[in-house]
Amino acid sequence: MSDNEPIKILGISGSPRKKSTDYAVKYALQHAEEKFGAETQYFSARGMDLKFCIHCDHCIRTKKGCIHKDDIVSLYDMMLWADAWIIGTPVYQGNLSAQTKTIMDRCRAVVAKDPKSFQNKVGSALAVGGDRVGGQEPAIKTILDFYVISEMIPVSGGSFGSNLGGTLWSQDKGAEGTSEDSEGLRSLRKTVNRMVTMAQKFK
């Protein structure tokens, strides 16, 4: 990779609202832009038509993508464009949101066409909870498992402060609460730093 070639990062917010998770993913992308000169794209589940995977095997039989023609289709090109992804989810019932899970499930249509589509792309995760310890780490682990299955390189922020990824506390105050969580934002910056460093090695 040329020293002048920027890392391309996709940020995905799996929240149906424009609040904490939206803020956190955009914060991560801004940090990557300012510190590393990264190119970024952003996708939000808010207001999108996201149909569940119905395991119809259309993508397996035809190798022509998903049978659903909804807003996730536009996300596929962004996923292929990026060197690294950061997926953010709100915590619902101790784990990730249905919107986040739907996006990940529907990636089956991409790898059905080419199993190596996402190979060696770097993936990280963040989760925002209304409680300080409210399911952030189980949600992040689910996203990291998805990266492993997709032959991506999952990364965390590392030991001492960001063990699995960015863990944020909104205090149920939306973006305002998340912006006040200095420790959570520190864990997110550490995660982004490692994500970009790893992506530079694999680009």
Side-chain angles (χ1 to χ4, degrees):
M1 182 187 73
S2 167
D3 291 340
N4 297 321
E5 188 176 351
I7 292 296
K8 295 177 289 189
I9 301 174
L10 170 62
I12 298 172
S13 169
S15 174
R17 305 194 299 170
K18 190 177 180 181
K19 291 194 174 184
S20 303
T21 307
D22 172 81
Y23 172 86
V25 175
K26 288 180 176 177
Y27 179 97
L29 295 178
Q30 183 177 356
H31 177 70
E33 291 168 2
E34 293 176 351
K35 183 166 183 174
F36 299 100
E39 293 181 9
T40 65
Q41 291 192 45
Y42 176 72
F43 180 91
S44 172
R46 179 176 180 265
M48 295 292 187
D49 177 21
L50 310 176
K51 293 182 172 62
F52 298 129
C53 175
I54 56 174
H55 213 289
C56 63
D57 283 342
H58 170 85
C59 60
I60 300 291
R61 291 193 309 271
T62 68
K63 313 296 183 188
K64 294 181 179 179
C66 188
I67 196 167
H68 296 312
K69 304 306 176 189
D70 58 3
D71 292 327
I72 291 181
V73 173
S74 66
L75 179 57
Y76 292 150
D77 285 341
M78 298 167 72
M79 289 173 160
L80 294 170
W81 167 85
D83 302 309
W85 309 355
I86 183 162
I87 297 178
T89 184
V91 174
Y92 287 176
Q93 297 294 343
N95 213 300
L96 45 68
S97 68
Q99 289 82 1
T100 307
K101 184 63 165 61
T102 298
I103 289 169
M104 295 191 305
D105 287 348
R106 291 280 303 284
C107 285
R108 185 172 190 257
V110 181
V111 296
K113 291 173 68 175
D114 177 5
K116 305 301 182 185
S117 293
F118 304 142
Q119 188 178 59
N120 292 339
K121 293 182 183 291
V122 175
S124 62
L126 69 89
V128 186
D131 295 324
R132 174 78 271 178
V133 182
Q136 287 93 330
E137 289 200 337
I140 289 171
K141 286 182 71 175
T142 302
I143 297 171
L144 297 182
D145 286 345
F146 160 75
Y147 292 143
V148 171
I149 292 168
S150 302
E151 299 188 24
M152 295 173 66
I153 309 298
V155 299
S156 71
S159 303
F160 306 109
S162 185
N163 296 320
L164 293 179
T167 53
L168 299 117
W169 178 29
S170 71
Q171 306 172 67
D172 281 333
K173 296 195 300 183
E176 178 186 356
T178 303
S179 70
E180 295 171 353
D181 181 16
S182 59
E183 184 59 29
L185 292 174
R186 186 178 77 87
S187 75
L188 181 53
R189 291 192 300 273
K190 286 189 66 178
T191 299
V192 171
N193 293 347
R194 285 202 69 232
M195 177 183 69
V196 173
T197 300
M198 187 65 73
Q200 288 170 338
K201 295 180 185 297
F202 282 88
K203 187 173 174 67

